[in-house]
């Protein structure tokens, strides 16, 4: 439903969205995506919102993720940039809790998310997956009448709530993911990492997201 609403909103205006193609594709086979890729390649490919971390490591040792990144690289023009982010798993893995102000990041209006829980999945002594569970406060939205709504306690009052599906994530650390990108794009590729898209004065800043930017050479 949310995807449909976004698609309608993007293409509804008389000018906005007229030249947009919105389709579906498999990160592991982007050549077959239901859009027409430009012959010269893309200037920028964006993969943000912690979505890349939802790709399971089917083959082990991040080979599945490298395959997906190779597909992104193929679609970029020379000099084109891939921007891909992931949650600040460094903090979560070390502290077993979320960074402060976890609902005040620049990507989403997430003040409706609460009761967030994490299940830790380990293999060989290493955390291989984190499963996020949370509730969504749907007060004063058209989802209040959804048949799956339950009333739950939040900040001292009962609110209509929907349970989010369990979402497993691959918990990349910032340095791990930088290494994966450089394996695919080359050690000499221009590369930057930005905490929540901040470019400077972030020595003492604790981000919600690490944003990686790498250029195809």
């Amino acid at each position: 439903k949310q995807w449909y609403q976004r698609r309608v909103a993007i293409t509804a205006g008389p000018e906005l969205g007229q030249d947009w193609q919105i389709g579906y594709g498999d990160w592991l086979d982007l050549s077959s995506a239901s859009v027409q890729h430009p012959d010269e390649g893309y200037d920028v490919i964006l993969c943000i919102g912690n979505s890349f971390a939802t790709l399971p490591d089917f083959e082990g040792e991040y080979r599945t993720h490298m395959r997906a990144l190779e597909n992104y690289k193929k679609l970029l023009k020379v000099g084109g940039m891939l921007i891909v982010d992931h949650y600040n798993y460094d903090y979560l893995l070390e502290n077993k809790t979320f960074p402060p102000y976890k609902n005040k990041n620049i990507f989403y209006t997430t003040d409706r998310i609460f009761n967030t829980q994490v299940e830790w999945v380990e293999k060989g002594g290493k955390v291989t997956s984190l499963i996020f569970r949370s509730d969504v406060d749907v007060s004063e939205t058209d989802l209040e009448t959804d048949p799956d709504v339950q009333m739950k306690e939040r900040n001292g009052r009962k609110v209509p709530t929907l349970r989010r599906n369990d979402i497993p994530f691959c918990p990349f650390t910032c340095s791990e993911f930088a290494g994966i990108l450089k394996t695919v794009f080359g050690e000499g590729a221009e590369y930057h990492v930005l905490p929540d898209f901040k470019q400077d004065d972030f020595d003492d800043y604790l981000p919600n997201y690490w944003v990686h930017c790498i250029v195809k050479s």
Side-chain angles (χ1 to χ4, degrees):
K1 182 175 183 179
Q2 289 177 329
W3 169 249
Y4 174 76
Q5 290 173 337
R6 289 175 184 173
R7 181 170 181 163
V8 169
I10 287 171
T11 59
E15 298 180 3
L16 181 64
Q18 282 190 349
D19 297 327
W20 288 41
Q21 295 183 66
I22 300 177
Y24 299 91
D26 182 344
W27 288 340
L28 302 179
D29 184 23
L30 287 174
S31 62
S32 64
S34 57
V35 296
Q36 183 177 351
H37 300 301
D39 294 336
E40 67 276 15
Y42 291 100
D43 295 304
V44 177
I45 292 178
L46 287 165
C47 182
I48 59 176
N50 198 41
S51 57
F52 194 76
T54 63
L55 178 63
D57 188 14
F58 295 113
E59 300 157 88
E61 298 181 354
Y62 301 126
R63 288 191 292 269
T64 305
H65 298 99
M66 291 183 194
R67 195 146 58 91
L69 292 170
E70 285 280 5
N71 287 334
Y72 290 146
K73 181 183 175 183
K74 290 176 183 176
L75 291 177
L76 284 169
K77 64 172 59 174
V78 173
M81 177 180 287
L82 171 66
I83 301 174
V84 57
D85 75 1
H86 58 79
Y87 198 72
N88 185 356
Y89 293 112
D90 303 69
Y91 186 93
L92 187 54
L93 291 169
E94 181 178 351
N95 297 279
K96 301 296 189 291
T97 188
F98 292 96
Y101 310 112
K102 63 180 182 298
N103 288 332
K104 298 180 180 179
N105 61 73
I106 64 173
F107 294 105
Y108 306 110
T109 303
T110 54
D111 57 342
R112 291 183 177 274
I113 306 298
F114 70 108
N115 284 348
T116 302
Q117 301 172 337
V118 181
E119 178 182 336
W120 305 75
V121 180
E122 296 188 17
K123 183 177 180 180
K126 180 182 178 181
V127 178
T128 57
S129 181
L130 299 177
I131 300 175
F132 286 18
R133 300 184 177 93
S134 58
D135 291 322
V136 183
D137 181 349
V138 296
S139 301
E140 300 179 359
T141 73
D142 58 355
L143 294 175
E144 278 189 303
T145 58
D146 190 283
D148 293 324
V149 161
Q150 297 179 347
M151 300 301 293
K152 293 190 178 181
E153 186 85 14
R154 186 188 187 195
N155 297 330
R157 65 187 184 92
K158 294 282 189 179
V159 296
T161 301
L162 285 173
R163 185 70 172 169
R164 298 181 81 192
N165 292 334
D166 293 355
I167 307 175
F169 294 99
C170 184
F172 305 109
T173 65
C174 186
S175 60
E176 277 179 332
F177 199 73
I180 294 168
L181 284 170
K182 291 177 181 179
T183 297
V184 173
F185 282 77
E187 287 290 335
E190 181 183 348
Y191 166 79
H192 306 277
V193 60
L194 309 175
D196 288 345
F197 278 111
K198 292 181 178 292
Q199 295 185 2
D200 49 30
D201 299 328
F202 57 77
D203 287 344
D204 298 322
Y205 178 77
L206 182 60
N208 283 177
Y209 288 80
W210 291 111
V211 184
H212 302 262
C213 308
I214 196 161
V215 177
K216 179 178 177 179
S217 55

